[in-house]
Amino acid sequence: MVALARKTLIYEWRRFLPAALAVAFSGLLLLMQAALIFGIFNSASVYIRASQGDLWVGYPGTQSIELGRPISSETEMLLRMDSNVAQVEPFQWLDGDWRGPASRGGVSVFISGIDPRADGLMFASALSGELRQRLLEPGGVIVDRADLDKLGLNVGDNATINRQRVRIVGVAAGLRALGGVNIVTSLATARRLDSDTAASGKVAYYVVRLNDPLSTEATRMRLSSEVGTKRFAVWTRDEFAQRAVRYWMFETGAGLGFLFLAVVVFLVGAVITSQTLMSAVAGSVREYATLHALGVSFRRLRNVVLEQASWVGTIGLLIGGALSALIIALARQQDVPVDLDALTVLACGVLVMGIALVSGLMAVRALRHADPATLLR
């Protein structure tokens, strides 16, 4: 009887094609929603994920990078005294007012002041050694290539930040931040752009590389316990990145609105898919009822219907997966923030397949209550 399911699918493929396409686009919609959510909100942690430090040190209670406050310069010495600390690097974060061409007006920017040496920790995976060297030029800045149009300038052009002259000395990929344009410059230039004289000599964060990364949590706890007055807080790299993403996703109105929209889209897609699939499976109910009247057990008919639903779900997932891969590749070429991992893809696939199987079970219920005498007329 199970072979009957496959033969029916092949012989009556036109009947099941709309259901397979409905499953495909439901999966596509779900994957795109997930990719955009993770892509957009993971950009809140681009400063952390694009860098190589094991620990981050900042103002106590900081929820996200842009909420950091200056901490004492004595912090660096305290960190270097720990035996497991191999490298400590200051990271200055500021906001600024970018002024370029008059037609663009002012643009709010985030200024990242980093150590431009080749072995620097900040943005180690986004900036090559040659690009970092360009930051040694006084007033030199690097921006994400996707932000050039927004700024209305090209490499080599001049602008001002907080009324101080700067020059774009290079572009890179993977620097886009959530909420504004990310400007990367040297610590020396960042200090010149800082208009807050009260914070002179202080930075917002210190990034720490450890000799033994396997003991990151033990080192974090040791450093935290040694600071009696809590002048700073210590987070692991993953902990601080997740903290920033959670803040933007659940503590801001934009994040909650985006999540609400994603839930609504998923529910609409699930309803349309289930109804289409139920209609396709239930279209053969007369034939199944005839077989039931001839002595085929209901359990065997149910297996046939469930196998049909499984095949429709599998074919739909394959089509949806191929379309998703194509669209995500296109989005990355256009610097659209999308991000998907294997666990998310697996979760979406299980969810869509679950919708397909539940729709098949609901169609079976219609078969149970069908009257063979009526269907044979």
Side-chain angles (χ1 to χ4, degrees), residues 98-152:
W98 173 285
R99 296 298 173 100
S103 60
R104 298 284 177 169
V107 178
S108 296
V109 296
F110 300 146
I111 304 165
S112 297
I114 67 170
D115 187 339
R117 289 181 300 181
D119 63 345
L121 301 175
M122 283 302 303
F123 297 114
S125 61
L127 300 179
S128 65
E130 190 270 336
L131 272 178
R132 302 178 80 92
Q133 284 294 308
R134 296 186 195 178
L135 293 178
L136 293 174
E137 175 183 324
V141 300
I142 293 174
V143 302
D144 192 286
R145 65 186 180 192
D147 288 328
L148 281 178
D149 287 342
K150 185 187 296 183
L151 299 175

Side-chain angles (χ1 to χ4, degrees), residues 5 19 63 96 99 102 112 125 129 150 164 194 226 233 241 252 317 373 377:
Q63 298 293 312
R99 296 298 173 100
S112 297
S125 61
K150 185 187 296 183
Q164 300 290 326
D194 190 0
E226 288 177 356
T252 65
L317 280 177
R377 290 174 185 171

Side-chain angles (χ1 to χ4, degrees), residues 185-246:
T185 187
S186 66
L187 281 167
T189 300
R191 291 190 186 99
R192 189 167 61 84
L193 300 177
D194 190 0
S195 57
D196 184 4
T197 56
S200 178
K202 299 180 179 178
V203 295
Y205 300 97
Y206 285 96
V207 186
V208 179
R209 182 173 64 84
L210 301 179
N211 289 313
D212 179 15
L214 295 178
S215 60
T216 298
E217 181 59 26
T219 307
R220 186 195 70 80
M221 294 180 65
R222 185 168 61 248
L223 289 172
S224 298
S225 63
E226 288 177 356
V227 186
T229 56
K230 284 291 180 188
R231 290 167 291 180
F232 58 82
V234 185
W235 306 280
T236 64
R237 179 177 182 270
D238 290 341
E239 179 187 7
F240 196 38
Q242 291 167 6
R243 193 180 177 95
V245 172
R246 281 199 304 270

